[in-house]
């Protein structure tokens, strides 16, 4: 039976009891079908939400007890030094113990943890939990032999192959802190992240495949690493077998080390404090340098475990596909850690959605019997434009749930996803969260009535609010700043090496509340609608980039005197980068130079940051104190009113 759909303009319609939603709802509402409610692990959203609201610590302690601890924690939440919150303090644990070791004691050891397919479709690999333990142990023993100790940072820069997952888990197993750099970033972005983390070891692959093209990751990494004195060793996984330069003493082939007695098929998992760092992940903020968001073993483990369990209703027979890249937080939490903590079977795919044709993803769903697909609105919009004839060639009947993340989903894309892909039987989990939150924060569960474009309500134990500049809650349906009121276990603990920035960035504007950096509104049903970022962060195809980083890349070109980058709406990408450039004297702004500057940004930062357009200008609008008024540039570029110009410099 299809999910019932009701549209109400002003009138309200009652919600079926089983959904646990509010009594009356407004707007276009998609109610969960009887079948969905019948199979859901959690049937009563309201009851759990109420009890978690009453006893936040009790809720999380119960969740944590579903996992194994080497030693129990003393205090579920320690907020004595807030905003430096601690969760499960004094507890001893290792996330890898719960992702892998724990399952080996049960029949789950024979269950598939990962199914992988190469971009060209010629290679297929599967790993049971038992085999995953072998692979991770081998990698862990090798990185330990390369001098990596508890607390050391290891940078990982690879394509979407199983070894990237092994590398992350191997670091966690030996107590090292991984710092994954998205394989689509280029030299400068990689160098900055290796340098800031002072990584001793970098794990890379020789190359990766993207849309049939070879990306020479080793060459890019070499260019970055020569400028990073902290790096002692580079472990190279062979993926493409093309010729790569090799530096004796520093570089080590992984496949060769696997043949030596160093590689152990069983290796001990380090005992960690719950609050010991698990990883850092760089993300863009409003200022030039990306911030290293730090997550820990204990709280992050509990948060990713529970959110995936409840929101995607994970069952033993599921085949889960999170189509993100392991290099972003979505991949960390919901390709690597969350699914393994739940003992799930995940599908990992090397390529993108439209290569060699726009039927590729749908073919994979049919081939592997995927039951849950979790992706980004940009991918859905990108696939939608090729029409339904592509998905209609394949049997998608295995799907039971769908998910979206990374940017607001426009109702048109939501409905296409719901109708054409989910055949009106798969609820869509629109999950709002961030690198910083580590886990879903505003999200439905399958039994909650859905409104296309809304992430519905905060996850159990959380409270969100929309406030004005002064921090006062605004009225229903008014736009304001989205803040979170309660601590949660997977919250970032700090910005690595920069605790002051952690406090000023997230906790200073509205003391006691976490500032998300997003604007949003809440409707009369208590449903949240994300509007977008309020800072200079842009989401290009769901990837988080800072305008300041693009400007820093432009300024390294000899022709550029000054520049300003902004994000403008884009039909497929959500947002695209537009740059305004002031050239040095006597340099002509030709179309060839504009193209050269676009390529320059792509080469230094990565192809995802390539500006859509570079425009030459004589002047940039600035305030009297010299700040570029991006708001004015945005309005001008779109032909919209420029608003209050009283602070504009003459
Ligand atoms: O603006 C919000 C948007 O993505 C930002 C966080 O980006 P990042 O740290 O890269 O993490 C993305 C994956 C978790 C948020 O501040 N965002 C994320 N999910 C949604 C969203 N906007 C609207 N709806 C979402 N579901």
């Amino acid at each position: 039976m299809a999910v019932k759909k009701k549209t109400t303009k002003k009138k309200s319609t009652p919600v079926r009891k089983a959904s646990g939603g509010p009594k009356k709802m407004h707007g276009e509402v998609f109610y969960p079908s009887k079948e969905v409610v019948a199979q859901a692990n959690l049937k009563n959203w309201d009851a759990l939400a109420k009890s978690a609201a009453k006893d936040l610590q009790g809720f999380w302690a119960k969740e944590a007890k579903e996992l194994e601890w080497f030693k129990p924690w003393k205090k579920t939440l320690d907020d004595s030094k807030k905003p430096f919150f601690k969760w499960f303090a004094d507890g001893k644990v290792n996330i890898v113990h719960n992702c892998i070791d724990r399952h080996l004691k049960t029949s789950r050891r024979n269950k598939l943890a990962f199914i992988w397919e190469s971009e060209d479709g010629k290679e297929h690999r599967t790993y049971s939990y038992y085999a995953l333990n072998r692979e991770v142990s081998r990698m862990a023993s090798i990185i330990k032999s390369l001098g990596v100790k508890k607390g050391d940072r290891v940078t990982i820069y690879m394509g979407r192959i199983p070894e990237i997952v092994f590398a992350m888990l191997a670091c966690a197993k030996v107590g090292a802190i991984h710092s994954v750099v998205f394989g689509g970033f280029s030299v400068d972005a990689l160098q900055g992240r290796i340098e800031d983390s002072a990584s001793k070891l970098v794990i890379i692959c020789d190359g990766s495949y993207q849309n049939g093209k070879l990306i020479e990751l080793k060459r890019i990494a070499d260019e970055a690493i020569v400028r990073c004195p902290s790096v002692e060793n580079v472990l190279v996984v062979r993926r493409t077998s093309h010729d790569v330069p090799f530096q004796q003493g520093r570089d080590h082939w992984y496949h060769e080390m696997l043949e030596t007695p160093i590689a152990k098929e069983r290796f001990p998992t380090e005992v960690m404090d719950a609050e010991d760092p698990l990883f850092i992940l760089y993300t863009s903020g409003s200022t030039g340098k990306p911030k290293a968001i730090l997550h820990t073993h204990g709280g992050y483990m509990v948060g990713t475990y529970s959110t995936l369990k409840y929101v995607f209703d994970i069952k033993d027979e599921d085949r889960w596909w999170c189509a993100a890249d392991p290099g972003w937080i979505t991949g960390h939490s919901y390709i690597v850690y969350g699914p393994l903590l739940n003992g799930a079977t995940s599908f990992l795919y090397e390529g993108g959605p439209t290569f060699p044709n726009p039927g590729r993803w749908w073919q994979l769903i049919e081939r592997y019997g995927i039951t849950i697909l979790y992706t980004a609105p940009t991918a859905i919009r990108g696939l939608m434009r090729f029409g339904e004839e592509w998905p209609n060639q394949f049997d998608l009947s295995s799907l039971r749930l769908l998910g979206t993340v990374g940017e607001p989903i426009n109702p048109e894309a939501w409905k296409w996803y719901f109708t054409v892909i989910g055949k009106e039987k798969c609820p869509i989990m629109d999950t709002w969260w961030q690198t910083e939150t580590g886990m879903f924060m505003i999200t439905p569960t399958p039994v909650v009535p859905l409104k296309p474009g809304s992430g519905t309500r905060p996850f159990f134990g959380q409270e969100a609010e929309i406030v004005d500049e002064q921090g006062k809650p605004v009225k229903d349906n008014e736009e304001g700043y989205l803040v979170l009121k309660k601590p949660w276990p997977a919250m970032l603990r700090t910005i690595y090496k920069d605790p002051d920035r952690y406090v000023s960035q997230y906790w200073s504007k509205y003391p006691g509340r976490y500032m998300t950096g997003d604007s949003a509104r809440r409707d009369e049903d208590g449903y949240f609608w994300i509007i977008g970022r309020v800072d200079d962060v842009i989401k290009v195809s769901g990837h988080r980039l800072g305008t300041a980083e693009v400007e820093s890349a432009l300024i390294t070109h000899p022709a550029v005197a000054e520049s300003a980058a902004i994000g403008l709406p884009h039909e497929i990408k959500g947002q695209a980068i537009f740059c305004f450039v002031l050239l040095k004297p006597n340099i002509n702004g030709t179309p060839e130079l504009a193209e050269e500057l676009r390529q320059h940004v792509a080469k230094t930062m990565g192809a995802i940051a390539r500006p859509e357009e570079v425009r030459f200008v004589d002047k940039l609008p600035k305030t009297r104190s010299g700040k570029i008024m991006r708001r004015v540039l945005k309005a001008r570029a779109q032909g919209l009113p420029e608003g209050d110009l009283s602070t504009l410099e003459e």
Side-chain angles (χ1 to χ4, degrees):
M1 190 192 84
V3 173
K4 273 190 198 163
K5 176 181 144 184
K6 286 254 163 73
T7 308
T8 51
K9 287 277 176 317
K10 287 269 164 348
K11 271 195 342 209
S12 312
T13 39
V15 134
R16 290 195 299 115
K17 234 179 152 194
S19 66
K23 291 257 160 50
K24 295 179 175 187
M25 298 195 73
H26 302 77
E28 193 173 17
V29 185
F30 288 73
Y31 296 95
S33 68
K34 271 198 214 122
E35 287 81 354
V36 166
V37 176
Q39 67 172 3
N41 293 334
L42 173 78
K43 301 204 186 339
N44 196 331
W45 187 94
D46 256 356
L48 190 57
K50 255 189 214 144
S51 79
K54 238 202 242 145
D55 181 11
L56 172 80
Q57 295 193 39
F59 169 75
W60 284 115
K62 186 166 170 289
E63 294 299 312
K65 281 183 189 152
E66 291 180 12
L67 299 166
E68 284 185 0
W69 296 73
F70 300 132
K71 191 183 131 213
W73 61 93
K74 287 206 182 103
K75 212 168 175 193
T76 304
L77 170 64
D78 176 358
D79 59 2
S80 57
K81 294 201 175 71
K82 61 186 168 199
F84 295 95
F85 295 90
K86 285 184 179 173
W87 283 87
F88 313 109
D90 296 323
K92 299 279 184 199
V93 76
N94 187 312
I95 196 167
V96 173
H97 176 81
N98 280 295
C99 285
I100 304 175
D101 310 8
R102 177 171 68 104
H103 304 308
L104 305 183
K105 297 180 278 185
T106 71
S107 57
R108 266 206 186 130
R109 69 176 170 277
N110 298 324
K111 190 181 164 178
L112 290 187
F114 284 105
I115 302 168
W116 175 81
E117 186 170 312
S118 62
E119 185 184 68
D120 63 10
K122 291 185 183 146
E123 284 177 74
H124 308 248
R125 292 198 238 160
T126 55
Y127 298 92
S128 65
Y129 276 86
Y130 201 77
L132 180 65
N133 181 51
R134 192 166 56 229
E135 298 299 337
V136 173
S137 294
R138 298 205 292 178
M139 181 87 89
S141 51
I142 287 171
I143 68 173
K144 200 109 195 227
S145 80
L146 293 173
V148 172
K149 295 188 300 295
K150 194 170 177 169
D152 285 345
R153 277 79 54 213
V154 175
T155 296
I156 299 172
Y157 179 65
M158 299 168 81
R160 269 196 296 260
I161 53 175
E163 285 81 357
I164 187 172
V165 178
F166 307 159
M168 291 165 73
L169 292 164
C171 288
K173 190 173 171 74
V174 303
I177 304 169
H178 60 70
S179 165
V180 182
V181 179
F182 171 57
F185 276 132
S186 198
V187 182
D188 283 14
L190 177 62
Q191 182 201 336
R193 286 156 172 81
I194 299 174
E195 248 170 10
D196 187 74
S197 63
S199 291
K200 270 172 123 171
L201 172 69
V202 181
I203 309 179
I204 60 172
C205 38
D206 55 354
S208 66
Y209 294 112
Q210 225 174 68
N211 298 328
K213 281 201 255 44
L214 169 73
I215 313 289
E216 297 195 68
L217 292 185
K218 173 93 172 56
R219 280 181 204 278
I220 297 171
D222 279 346
E223 223 180 295
I225 291 167
V226 286
R227 305 186 221 150
C228 301
S230 66
V231 178
E232 293 166 6
N233 291 292
V234 179
L235 185 61
V236 191
V237 174
R238 195 165 65 180
R239 168 70 194 121
T240 63
S241 301
H242 72 289
D243 276 346
V244 290
F246 228 69
Q247 189 174 312
Q248 285 309 323
R250 187 197 72 179
D251 298 349
H252 313 269
W253 278 116
Y254 181 57
H255 65 275
E256 284 178 2
M257 292 198 78
L258 281 175
E259 300 299 317
T260 69
I262 292 168
K264 304 275 186 297
E265 297 197 349
R266 284 170 193 212
F267 202 70
T269 301
E270 193 75 40
V271 174
M272 308 295 287
D273 284 326
E275 281 294 313
D276 276 340
L278 167 64
F279 65 83
I280 51 176
L281 185 55
Y282 287 85
T283 193
S284 301
S286 37
T287 53
K289 259 178 77 181
K291 313 172 275 195
I293 303 301
L294 185 136
H295 285 287
T296 56
H297 271 260
Y300 176 81
M301 172 182 83
V302 177
T304 52
Y305 164 72
S306 295
T307 44
L308 189 64
K309 179 183 71 174
Y310 287 121
V311 175
F312 283 100
D313 193 40
I314 295 292
K315 299 181 201 308
D316 245 345
E317 57 275 23
D318 273 321
R319 287 196 161 184
W320 160 257
W321 183 11
C322 168
D325 191 281
W328 302 104
I329 192 68
T330 310
H332 280 54
S333 299
Y334 299 111
I335 290 177
V336 183
Y337 293 109
L340 295 175
L341 289 164
N342 279 281
T345 298
S346 287
F347 174 60
L348 182 66
Y349 174 53
E350 186 179 35
T354 51
F355 181 84
N357 61 54
R360 183 71 171 124
W361 272 17
W362 318 128
Q363 175 195 42
L364 291 166
I365 288 173
E366 177 183 290
R367 177 173 295 162
Y368 294 106
I370 303 298
T371 59
I372 313 173
L373 173 66
Y374 183 44
T375 184
T378 185
I380 299 161
R381 287 192 297 264
L383 287 162
M384 203 170 113
R385 77 192 146 130
F386 293 101
E388 44 187 280
E389 51 275 26
W390 284 100
N392 287 349
Q393 289 170 37
F394 300 95
D395 177 5
L396 305 182
S397 62
S398 57
L399 286 171
R400 68 178 189 94
L401 279 176
L402 299 172
T404 159
V405 60
E407 45 171 331
I409 181 162
N410 45 313
E412 195 199 353
W414 194 100
K415 285 178 195 162
W416 189 83
Y417 198 25
F418 183 72
T419 313
V420 177
I421 306 306
K423 315 292 180 207
E424 300 192 348
K425 70 175 175 61
C426 307
I428 298 176
M429 302 297 102
D430 181 350
T431 58
W432 176 89
W433 58 296
Q434 307 177 301
T435 306
E436 291 88 339
T437 70
M439 63 180 222
F440 308 145
M441 299 305 291
I442 295 178
T443 174
T445 69
V447 299
V448 165
L450 304 173
K451 301 189 190 189
S454 166
T456 79
R457 287 165 289 181
F459 187 72
F460 307 118
Q462 190 48 259
E463 269 180 55
E465 205 167 47
I466 313 288
V467 298
D468 64 15
E469 197 62 40
Q470 283 71 42
K472 267 200 7 239
V474 302
K475 291 198 192 99
D476 281 353
N477 286 314
E478 271 179 22
E479 184 177 340
Y481 301 101
L482 175 68
V483 296
L484 301 174
K485 292 172 73 178
K486 302 282 181 193
W488 64 100
M491 64 200 302
L492 77 162
R493 294 302 191 268
T494 190
I495 294 173
Y496 181 64
K497 295 198 301 196
D498 204 349
D500 294 344
R501 192 171 171 200
Y502 165 69
V503 178
S504 64
Q505 183 90 45
Y506 302 106
W507 301 96
S508 295
K509 187 157 182 189
Y510 308 115
R513 288 170 290 178
Y514 169 86
M515 194 183 77
T516 64
D518 277 10
S519 65
R521 63 182 179 85
R522 183 170 53 195
D523 70 15
E524 50 279 75
D525 296 319
Y527 274 38
F528 286 83
W529 300 77
I530 306 296
I531 295 161
R533 299 288 308 187
V534 287
D535 49 14
D536 295 321
V537 168
I538 37 185
K539 300 297 305 259
V540 181
S541 300
H543 301 317
R544 179 164 161 182
L545 297 170
T547 49
E549 291 161 64
V550 179
E551 290 161 10
S552 305
L554 278 169
I555 206 81
T556 60
H557 189 282
V560 176
E562 210 177 345
S563 71
I566 56 166
L568 288 184
H570 186 278
E571 207 185 329
I572 306 287
K573 298 178 181 174
Q575 280 185 299
I577 303 171
F578 279 73
C579 299
F580 297 86
V581 169
L582 202 78
L583 292 170
K584 287 191 181 149
N586 306 323
I587 296 184
N588 280 338
T590 58
E592 291 73 28
L593 182 58
E595 183 53 28
E596 189 180 317
L597 293 178
R598 289 179 67 233
Q599 299 312 336
H600 177 74
V601 175
K603 179 157 189 300
T604 44
M605 278 184 77
I608 50 166
R610 181 184 287 119
E612 202 69 13
E613 196 181 317
V614 168
R615 260 185 226 173
F616 298 112
V617 290
D618 302 332
K619 254 200 269 179
L620 288 168
K622 286 188 186 167
T623 61
R624 280 177 210 115
S625 57
K627 267 181 87 176
I628 293 172
M629 294 178 81
R630 290 199 174 72
R631 160 179 80 73
V632 174
L633 287 172
K634 264 189 198 175
R636 266 183 210 168
Q638 296 177 92
L640 298 170
E642 292 178 14
D644 179 11
L645 296 179
S646 58
T647 56
L648 189 68
E649 185 192 39
E650 277 312 310

